[in-house]
Amino acid sequence: MNLIDAWSRFRRFVSPLINEFLTFVTMRRLLTRVLNRVLLNESFSPVMVPEAEIHSHGRRKLVVGLGNPGMEGTRHSVGMAVLGALAARLDVADRWRGDKQVSGEVIVSEIEHTHVVLLRPRLLMNINGVSVAKAAGKYGIRPEDILLVHDELDKPLGKVNIKHGGSARGHNGVRSCVDCLQTDVMQRLRVGIGRPTGKTSVERHVLGRFSSEERKVLESVLVQSVDLLLSQLSQQESKQDSPSSPSSPAGGRGAAQKRTEPRASPAEDSSAARS
C-alpha cells in the first residue's frame, strides 16, 4: 500500500508539470506560426511574377542557408557557412547584397545554365521561412525548386545528405519554411552537427561554436556540401532538359495534393546519404 500511495502522489505531482510543459510547447509553436503569417503579410503564391529580377525562360533555383543572423559561427547556422562556401566556389562571394523585400541577403548567379538565387535570411531561425517565401515570390521560384541547407542533430559532424521533401523532423527553421510556403516538397541538404554529450543541453549545443577539433572536420564538410549542392543542381538541370523526365514535383504534402493528372508520377525520394 505504501508503494501504491507513493506512486499516486508522484503521478499527482508530475502530471501538472507535464501538462504545463506540453501547453508551453504547443503555445510556442502556435505563436511562431502566427508570427510567420504576420511578417509574411500575404500567402505565398508560386507564380512566375513579371517583376522577378531574373529574366529567363528557364527554371530558377533558390538555395537557402538557414541560420541566425549574427551567429554565423555556431552549429545552428552551419547552413550559412555552407552557402558562403558555395558563393566562394562560384567566385561570387563579393556580390552579397541586402534586400529588404525578402528580409535577407542575396546573390543572383548561374550554375550550369541554371539561374540560381542564393539567400541568407536576416531573420531569426524560427521565422526564416518568411524570408524564404518572400524570395520565392519575388524571383518566381516554385517550392520544389528550393533547396534548404541546415544543421542536423541526428547526424554526426562529417555526415551530410540530401533529403527530398517530408516533415521538418523537429527543425524550427525548416518548420517555418513549411508553414510559410504551405508545402513540404522543398529539398534539404542536412549537415550533421551531432548531439551534445554529457550534461550539455541541446539548445546550448546548437547555439555554441564549433571547437578547434570540430573546425578541422568542418573544412572538409563544407567542401563535400558544396560538391553535393553543385551535383544536385546539375542533375536537376539535366532532368529539365531531358524530354522523358517527369514534370511533376518531388514528393511532399503540398505537391501530392496538387497532382490532378493521373499520368504525373511522383519523383523518387532518393537520398545522397554518405552514412
Side-chain angles (χ1 to χ4, degrees):
M1 290 297 293
N2 291 336
L3 184 60
I4 295 176
D5 289 341
W7 174 246
S8 298
R9 290 175 184 176
F10 176 75
R11 288 185 60 184
R12 285 198 298 268
F13 174 76
V14 172
S15 294
L17 295 179
I18 294 177
N19 290 334
E20 288 181 12
F21 174 75
L22 293 176
T23 301
F24 169 76
V25 172
T26 302
M27 289 301 299
R28 183 178 177 181
R29 290 184 178 179
L30 178 60
L31 289 174
T32 300
R33 294 189 66 182
V34 171
L35 186 57
N36 281 332
R37 297 302 174 86
V38 169
L39 292 176
L40 194 56
N41 287 328
E42 57 184 13
S43 60
F44 170 73
S45 178
V47 179
M48 298 298 182
V49 293
E51 64 269 24
E53 294 186 5
I54 303 177
H55 300 285
S56 169
H57 295 293
R59 290 175 68 174
R60 305 150 187 173
K61 312 292 181 184
L62 175 63
V63 184
V64 186
L66 300 183
N68 285 307
M71 300 183 68
E72 283 79 2
T74 62
R75 296 181 182 88
H76 211 23
S77 297
V78 71
M80 289 184 171
V82 171
L83 205 64
L86 174 61
R89 178 85 66 89
L90 297 175
D91 198 24
V92 295
D94 58 343
R95 286 169 50 184
W96 287 108
R97 62 178 179 82
D99 188 335
K100 292 183 178 180
Q101 291 183 350
V102 303
S103 303
E105 297 176 332
V106 300
I107 291 178
V108 177
S109 187
E110 188 172 298
I111 301 175
E112 295 289 333
H113 308 294
T114 299
H115 290 282
V116 177
V117 178
L118 309 184
L119 171 66
R120 293 192 302 205
R122 304 309 295 172
L123 299 172
L124 293 176
M125 175 72 86
N126 289 14
I127 52 175
N128 268 191
V130 174
S131 180
V132 176
K134 286 183 176 180
K138 176 176 180 177
Y139 293 101
I141 299 173
R142 298 182 293 188
E144 57 267 30
D145 291 325
I146 297 175
L147 207 161
L148 308 175
V149 186
H150 64 87
D151 59 303
E152 177 56 59
L153 271 171
D154 291 329
K155 287 188 175 296
L157 181 64
K159 298 292 185 179
V160 299
N161 85 314
I162 293 286
K163 183 176 186 291
H164 297 270
S167 69
R169 296 174 62 90
H171 194 285
N172 290 330
V174 176
R175 182 183 293 116
S176 175
C177 294
V178 171
D179 182 48
C180 291
L181 293 167
Q182 300 176 29
T183 180
D184 62 4
V185 300
M186 297 78 68
Q187 297 181 79
R188 302 95 190 258
L189 174 62
R190 303 188 297 171
V191 183
I193 62 171
R195 286 195 170 273
T197 57
K199 296 182 179 180
T200 304
S201 67
V202 170
E203 183 176 4
R204 183 176 180 181
H205 176 69
V206 299
L207 297 180
R209 295 182 177 276
F210 290 101
S211 66
S212 57
E213 290 299 317
E214 288 176 325
R215 284 196 292 271
K216 296 177 183 178
V217 179
L218 183 62
E219 292 179 7
S220 63
V221 168
L222 295 180
V223 173
Q224 295 164 359
S225 297
V226 171
D227 289 342
L228 256 181
L229 286 174
L230 293 175
S231 174
Q232 189 69 19
L233 292 168
S234 298
Q235 288 176 13
Q236 290 179 351
E237 176 64 19
S238 298
K239 290 178 181 179
Q240 178 186 337
D241 292 338
S242 174
S244 60
S245 63
S247 59
S248 60
R253 171 163 52 86
Q257 295 172 350
K258 295 178 181 178
R259 293 192 189 103
T260 55
E261 297 184 19
R263 67 174 180 276
S265 59
E268 294 181 356
D269 192 19
S270 59
S271 174
R274 302 196 312 277
S275 54

